[in-house]
Amino acid sequence: MSFETPLPPYNASDPHATFLNASCLDFLLIELVPLAYRLATEFSESDEKPDDEERNDVAYRRLELLGYRVGQGLVERFSRDRPRFTDTLDVIKFLCKDLWTLVFRKQIDNLKTNHRGVYVLTDNLFQPFRRMSTEAGGPAVSRARPFLWFPSGLIRGALASMNITATVHAETLELPGATFQIKTSTAKS
């Protein structure tokens, strides 16, 4: 295990600052999905085993809500020393550069917008997917989708903490890449 030194914009001289080892966060993200599925099975409302669609829905809600809370907390912690954001695009840039670097140790590779409230964030080497085994085509991509639910919630929570109501849709077509589409409430169809 290694202990990384904090990168700017984090105040290393803050006596109340606590930092998390990157390996611990990786292991946590790896275990969140199986845990959510186990809890979905254990706490099903009926005595019978829930079907796959019901388990997916329960796991999605649990992971997305966990990510939402984490996103809110991170933004409250790391944007307090910054001037207030004036534009939604500035908030998205903060998310792509600073927040993504804090959580996944790299910036978003590509940000696209239609200037009508829709933003597409692309990460070509998404950290949780780097160590996943892949096989051409099939099951690897479908097995990887639940690992996008927590980061989707993280994005939505971070935006909500900065007074932006949005929906986040995540997908992966080829590992280790991930794409997050953000539609703000002001988005025009």
Side-chain angles (χ1 to χ4, degrees), residues 14 16-17 25 28 52 59 71 74-75 86 119 141 144 159 179 182:
D14 181 6
H16 302 291
L25 182 61
L28 176 66
D52 286 342
L74 287 173
V75 166
T86 58
Y119 303 91
V141 170
L159 293 173
T179 303
I182 302 168

Side-chain angles (χ1 to χ4, degrees), residues 1-167:
M1 279 180 147
S2 64
F3 292 94
E4 292 82 9
T5 56
L7 302 171
Y10 321 114
N11 187 357
S13 63
D14 181 6
H16 302 291
T18 56
F19 299 100
L20 176 68
N21 185 312
S23 299
C24 292
L25 182 61
D26 288 344
F27 293 139
L28 176 66
L29 291 175
I30 289 168
E31 278 303 309
L32 277 178
V33 172
L35 175 67
Y37 277 110
R38 276 194 310 271
L39 291 175
T41 303
E42 289 176 14
F43 297 128
S44 67
E45 294 174 4
S46 63
D47 292 334
E48 341 173 319
K49 187 176 178 181
D51 63 343
D52 286 342
E53 187 175 327
E54 184 180 342
R55 278 184 63 217
N56 281 345
D57 288 344
V58 171
Y60 170 77
R61 285 193 304 271
R62 183 175 299 274
L63 289 169
E64 207 269 345
L65 187 60
L66 279 170
Y68 184 86
R69 295 289 311 260
V70 170
Q72 282 183 320
L74 287 173
V75 166
E76 288 174 10
R77 173 76 188 243
F78 291 104
S79 69
R80 67 177 179 212
D81 296 333
R82 297 180 167 273
R84 201 121 173 97
F85 295 108
T86 58
D87 186 13
T88 304
L89 185 59
D90 291 336
V91 171
I92 300 292
K93 286 180 182 177
F94 167 77
L95 187 122
C96 292
K97 292 179 181 179
D98 298 329
L99 193 66
W100 211 256
T101 302
L102 174 70
V103 178
F104 298 113
R105 298 182 301 283
K106 68 181 282 296
Q107 293 182 2
I108 286 285
D109 294 317
N110 195 357
L111 166 63
K112 293 181 183 176
T113 181
N114 66 356
H115 298 288
R116 293 183 187 155
V118 178
Y119 303 91
V120 178
L121 286 57
T122 305
D123 191 342
N124 296 324
L125 291 171
F126 186 53
Q127 184 67 30
F129 291 169
R130 281 188 180 170
R131 293 187 184 97
M132 281 191 177
S133 62
T134 61
E135 45 189 80
V141 170
S142 62
R143 287 187 195 140
R145 283 195 183 107
F147 290 90
L148 293 171
W149 298 340
F150 178 84
S152 294
L154 188 133
I155 292 170
R156 197 172 66 83
L159 293 173
S161 186
M162 294 183 275
N163 294 324
I164 297 174
T165 304
T167 58

